[in-house]
Amino acid sequence: MKKIAIFGAGGFGREVKTIIDSINKIEPTYEFIGFYDDGKEKGSTINNYPVLGGIKDLNLLEEEIALVISIGDPKTKAKIISLINNPLITYPNIISPFALISDDFVSLGKGNIICAGTIITCNIDIKDFVILNLSCTVGHDTIINNYSSFMPSVNISGEVVVGEGVYVGTGAKIINLLEIGDYTIVGAGAVVAKTLPAKCTAVGIPAKPIKFNE
């Protein structure tokens, strides 16, 4: 069994721990050793597991571990990953046994988190450090780029290109044949019916940009 830890000791980190537990119930795969989080006191406990430190402690490790980055905000997630430079750390894909990846022609990079109830169909390319939270759906021929995060019950139709670092709120829907630009935020419940530019916040039905982000 490979030692595994979670970076991010908040609510989503605790949910990711339940995915690891579900994987181990089917086939013992990981030995969970605890959480890392620069915002928590080293030596404290989260659900009876220790907080082992932060980024500095990870970079000082002298043993191989798998690490899951359970941070929803794409910019924060990308920054954390850029600061971890220990070659002994690997980033597995954590996929709930209760998710459905229905086709062999699905490409997954590294460090992705796919939660229970999510359905991924065919000819889909998911890059690195993507979060597909509870009960998302991803249609055919979709590309999702690095660091993007989708909150529960997001529906992505076919032939969508999602840029790097996109954040999509709970229950949003993305119509087919669209693009969403890098580091754009789509509000909860929005319906994206037209291509969205980079670095905007879009809300409503249909979703329209209401501001642009630095």
Side-chain angles (χ1 to χ4, degrees), residues 117-133:
T118 291
I119 300 172
I120 298 171
T121 61
C122 61
N123 300 93
I124 290 165
D125 186 5
I126 297 173
K127 305 296 187 182
D128 299 337
F129 302 106
V130 169
I131 294 171
L132 288 162
N133 213 315

Side-chain angles (χ1 to χ4, degrees), residues 14-26:
R14 286 179 273 122
E15 289 186 343
V16 170
K17 170 61 168 55
T18 71
I19 300 175
I20 294 170
D21 292 342
S22 296
I23 293 168
N24 282 338
K25 286 177 183 177
I26 293 173

Side-chain angles (χ1 to χ4, degrees), residues 3-204:
K3 289 184 178 180
I4 193 168
I6 293 170
F7 192 101
F12 186 58
R14 286 179 273 122
E15 289 186 343
V16 170
K17 170 61 168 55
T18 71
I19 300 175
I20 294 170
D21 292 342
S22 296
I23 293 168
N24 282 338
K25 286 177 183 177
I26 293 173
E27 181 178 353
T29 305
Y30 297 111
E31 176 192 350
F32 184 71
I33 60 173
F35 295 92
Y36 286 87
D37 193 318
D38 284 286
K40 303 290 184 181
E41 183 180 356
K42 185 176 180 179
S44 60
T45 59
I46 305 291
N47 285 4
N48 298 323
Y49 285 93
V51 175
L52 301 169
I55 292 171
K56 180 179 179 180
D57 298 279
L58 283 167
N59 286 333
L60 292 173
L61 280 178
E62 296 181 349
E63 62 174 341
E64 293 184 2
I65 69 163
L67 186 67
V68 189
I69 308 294
S70 64
I71 303 293
D73 178 73
K75 287 184 179 179
T76 303
K77 179 166 44 175
K79 182 176 180 180
I80 289 167
I81 292 161
S82 73
L83 293 173
I84 298 172
N85 55 27
N86 189 332
L88 296 174
I89 294 172
T90 58
Y91 301 99
N93 291 314
I94 298 298
I95 302 171
S96 170
F98 306 107
L100 175 62
I101 300 177
S102 57
D103 192 89
D104 290 337
F105 296 98
V106 172
S107 173
L108 290 173
K110 64 183 179 182
N112 299 299
I113 301 171
I114 300 174
C115 298
T118 291
I119 300 172
I120 298 171
T121 61
C122 61
N123 300 93
I124 290 165
D125 186 5
I126 297 173
K127 305 296 187 182
D128 299 337
F129 302 106
V130 169
I131 294 171
L132 288 162
N133 213 315
L134 297 163
S135 299
C136 291
T137 61
V138 184
H140 64 88
D141 298 290
T142 288
I143 299 170
I144 302 175
N145 282 290
N146 298 342
Y147 313 123
S148 291
S149 293
F150 303 85
M151 297 302 101
S153 301
V154 170
N155 303 131
I156 306 170
S157 298
E159 299 177 273
V160 171
V161 178
V162 179
E164 180 175 292
V166 170
Y167 181 96
V168 182
T170 299
K173 301 181 186 301
I174 303 171
I175 305 303
N176 61 306
L177 293 168
L178 299 182
E179 295 186 17
I180 299 179
D182 293 350
Y183 289 95
T184 274
I185 299 169
V186 178
V191 176
V192 181
K194 293 184 178 180
T195 287
L196 294 176
K199 298 182 180 179
C200 75
T201 296
V203 300

